[in-house]
Amino acid sequence: MREQDATLQYWSERIDSLSAEYERAKSNTSYLRDQMDSAWQSLHDLQEQYRKYKEQANYEFQEAQYCWSMHDRTNAKEHIENGHILNERKAEIANSYLEGARAGFDSIKAQFNEAVVYQREIKAELNQAKNAYKLRIEELKAQNLREQMHWKEKKCGRCGATIQYNDTWGHIPDYCKSCKEKMNAEREKRIPMLFVSHATADKKYVEYLVAFFEKIGLDNTQMICSSVPGYGIPLNAQIYDWIAEKFRDWDLYVIFILSDGFYKSTACQMEMGATWITRKEYTLILLPGFEFSQIKGAIRADRISIKLDCDECELKQRLNELKDTLTEKFGLIKVTDIKWEQIRGEFIDSINGI
């Protein structure tokens, strides 16, 4: 059946071609990511050397002033000469290396971004070809069944239309093709979205958390947080109706920011109840000073959670797990290990600084 069908053969060859191209695109993206990391490190090293020369030069000039004040002309001149030498080295880095390093990094970064976009485009085309291939196989199977089997009829469980089926099938359909397509479309409409449930009093923690999510790849099309501009509820929207629609029609992943203020908030209690009723996935984050024993309501107190004032090693591990979960859930581009260490460290420092 497959060998004789031209359409199936076309999609098979198309899949092979796109698969090879996708692997090349992945390899190129990985190579450019390594190049970008290397360019960034080179730029960082030059900036660090520039800073050291600047500090050393300032120190020499300060020592020269002190020597002058002590009427030590010989050492004063030596310190001044050393300061000028260091300033020359600093100027050499600024004029000869830094701009080139910045330009090189920006160029590689632009190439990397283009490579990521191209990789995504090829991936989308590959998925489309695979779906078309599967659809053609199902069409050919259906043709074969119509030729060889006896058919019966029943009513669609949704619209009442007549469904033709074969009594040898392992599964008898309950819905017609049109209703199946509508139901699939309804399921596909459930776009993944991160929902941050929190009390207004905890805004400072939430702002750092949203910035943390942004750095691992989420944007305002994938996240709802009422306290952060650009992520809140639209103008003129009915608040509770708008939130109810999101829980009903979107594939929400809820982040609960637990604190004393959370349990005093009517809105937070409603969001907790909606999460339980609609069985949404969720993660608990306990703010400093809030204990596991204080968890109550519809969410489970025995659920593994993130406590922001726990042991730092444990906090780092839990943040690793949260990053991996969101990367998989939202199909994010994985951040490099070097970049992740920086993002995680900045977040922990920010929380500890509140």
Side-chain angles (χ1 to χ4, degrees):
M1 176 179 67
R2 299 183 184 182
E3 292 75 14
Q4 297 174 355
D5 185 77
T7 302
L8 198 64
Q9 183 66 26
Y10 167 81
W11 285 119
S12 177
E13 293 174 355
R14 180 69 173 156
I15 289 170
D16 291 342
S17 174
L18 288 171
S19 296
E21 183 60 22
Y22 179 68
E23 291 302 320
R24 286 192 290 270
K26 281 176 57 180
S27 176
N28 186 49
T29 301
S30 177
Y31 169 78
L32 288 172
R33 181 186 289 113
D34 292 341
Q35 292 296 306
M36 185 172 63
D37 289 343
S38 176
W40 180 89
Q41 187 62 52
S42 297
L43 177 60
H44 174 76
D45 292 343
L46 285 170
Q47 291 172 332
E48 184 65 16
Q49 188 62 55
Y50 179 90
R51 182 188 64 77
K52 288 181 179 179
Y53 282 150
K54 182 178 179 180
E55 290 179 353
Q56 291 171 359
N58 290 339
Y59 169 81
E60 292 292 340
F61 288 129
Q62 289 174 0
E63 287 296 305
Q65 290 180 350
Y66 173 78
C67 290
W68 281 116
S69 68
M70 301 300 294
H71 304 291
D72 186 354
R73 296 171 57 87
T74 301
N75 284 327
K77 289 181 179 180
E78 182 178 348
H79 282 300
I80 289 174
E81 182 178 352
N82 290 339
H84 287 315
I85 292 173
L86 290 166
N87 272 340
E88 289 174 359
R89 294 176 180 174
K90 181 185 71 174
E92 181 182 6
I93 290 177
N95 297 331
S96 302
Y97 302 109
L98 269 179
E99 290 303 319
R102 288 194 186 98
F105 174 76
D106 290 340
S107 175
I108 294 174
K109 183 179 180 181
Q111 294 177 50
F112 171 76
N113 290 336
E114 291 176 0
V116 169
V117 171
Y118 179 71
Q119 180 180 330
R120 289 174 176 170
E121 291 174 348
I122 294 298
K123 181 65 173 178
E125 291 184 33
L126 178 58
N127 288 338
Q128 183 182 25
K130 288 180 177 179
N131 289 336
Y133 182 86
K134 292 177 181 178
L135 178 61
R136 184 55 182 165
I137 289 179
E138 294 303 318
E139 290 174 348
L140 293 173
K141 288 180 178 179
Q143 291 175 11
N144 190 48
L145 286 173
R146 284 193 295 269
E147 294 170 0
Q148 300 179 18
M149 298 179 180
H150 298 285
W151 294 84
K152 294 184 178 181
E153 294 182 350
K154 64 179 292 187
K155 299 296 183 182
C156 173
R158 184 171 182 175
C159 69
T162 300
I163 304 174
Q164 292 185 338
Y165 70 97
N166 190 280
D167 57 9
T168 64
W169 288 354
H171 173 72
I172 307 301
D174 295 321
Y175 306 100
C176 66
K177 181 179 179 181
S178 176
C179 288
K180 281 184 178 179
E181 290 175 349
K182 289 177 182 178
M183 293 166 68
N184 288 335
E186 290 170 359
R187 284 193 292 268
E188 291 175 358
K189 184 182 178 182
R190 300 172 71 83
I191 302 172
M193 176 75 75
L194 188 72
F195 186 91
V196 182
S197 178
H198 66 286
T200 304
D202 301 321
K203 178 180 178 180
K204 195 63 179 178
Y205 287 101
V206 172
E207 287 176 339
Y208 285 130
L209 188 63
V210 169
F212 171 76
F213 290 146
E214 288 177 335
K215 290 176 182 178
I216 66 174
L218 291 170
D219 58 33
N220 61 356
T221 67
Q222 301 166 296
M223 187 162 34
I224 300 172
C225 183
S226 59
S227 293
V228 179
Y231 293 93
I233 300 173
L235 180 67
N236 297 327
Q238 297 292 332
I239 297 176
Y240 294 118
D241 290 344
W242 188 85
I243 292 176
E245 177 189 352
K246 297 304 178 187
F247 272 92
R248 183 182 65 247
D249 296 337
W250 293 63
D251 181 16
L252 290 187
Y253 189 102
V254 184
I255 302 290
F256 288 113
I257 310 301
L258 300 186
S259 66
D260 292 333
F262 178 90
Y263 282 99
K264 295 176 182 178
S265 168
T266 301
C268 290
Q269 299 307 297
M270 293 179 64
E271 292 161 3
M272 180 170 57
T275 300
W276 180 77
I277 291 173
T278 56
R279 299 188 180 279
K280 302 298 184 185
E281 295 182 81
Y282 65 88
T283 293
L284 305 179
I285 296 181
L286 282 65
L287 295 188
F290 191 83
E291 302 300 329
F292 290 105
S293 60
Q294 297 175 264
I295 299 176
K296 57 186 177 180
I299 53 181
R300 295 177 60 93
D302 60 350
R303 189 182 187 92
I304 299 299
S305 310
I306 299 175
K307 197 172 189 306
L308 294 183
D309 57 352
C310 70
D311 176 75
E312 184 170 331
C313 290
E314 180 181 352
L315 178 57
K316 287 182 177 180
Q317 177 59 33
R318 296 304 180 202
L319 291 175
N320 290 348
E321 294 171 356
L322 178 60
K323 181 259 296 182
D324 292 341
T325 297
L326 296 180
T327 297
E328 180 178 358
K329 174 75 175 179
F330 291 87
L332 305 178
I333 298 296
K334 184 179 179 182
V335 297
T336 62
D337 292 340
I338 294 176
K339 187 66 176 176
W340 168 240
E341 291 290 334
Q342 179 184 354
I343 293 170
R344 187 183 61 189
E346 290 175 351
F347 173 72
I348 294 175
D349 290 343
S350 299
I351 295 301
N352 291 336
I354 296 178

